[in-house]
Amino acid sequence: MSFQALARLHELEEGFRRVVRLGSRDYLLLHSGGETYLVDRLCPHAASPLERGALDDQFLTCPRHGLCFDLRTGRARQGGNAVLGRYSLAYEGRNIGVDL
């Protein structure tokens, strides 16, 4: 495995968000409610960019249709089948990233 840094730990303040490219796909790195998450960049329901969505504690709301995702589980708060992809993060020194 090789570590790929996505952000420095000192950057992870409440409300932090950054689009990151891994391979040929974009993901969204977020810090909210004291936790850091790596999720799919696009809403699984409407393929809207989620970096423009409202972020409230551990919830991210799609700006297009208002579907609200629990960042801890990836599941839509309103139920249904929409699930936001979530990915494991790794730490190395003063960086947060992923093991590829």
Side-chain angles (χ1 to χ4, degrees):
M1 281 192 204
S2 68
F3 179 81
Q4 181 171 337
L6 302 176
R8 307 272 299 167
L9 292 176
H10 74 271
E11 296 178 279
L12 301 177
E13 296 180 358
E14 191 64 26
F16 172 91
R17 58 182 92 195
R18 174 180 293 162
V19 174
V20 296
R21 179 159 286 253
L22 297 170
S24 62
R25 289 188 57 202
D26 287 335
Y27 299 86
L28 184 58
L29 182 66
L30 305 161
H31 187 82
S32 185
E35 298 291 330
T36 306
Y37 305 94
L38 182 64
V39 299
D40 288 330
R41 178 182 171 243
L42 300 177
C43 176
H45 168 252
S48 293
L50 291 171
E51 66 268 17
R52 294 186 178 117
L55 188 57
D56 181 25
D57 199 20
Q58 279 107 6
F59 297 97
L60 177 63
T61 303
C62 176
R64 187 167 183 194
H65 288 111
L67 200 57
C68 182
F69 296 95
D70 185 331
L71 292 170
R72 296 166 292 189
T73 65
R75 297 205 172 280
R77 210 175 189 186
Q78 298 89 337
N81 296 330
V83 177
L84 183 63
R86 300 176 60 247
Y87 306 92
S88 297
L89 290 164
Y91 296 87
E92 186 175 286
R94 297 180 182 178
N95 296 304
I96 189 168
V98 292
D99 282 324
L100 300 175

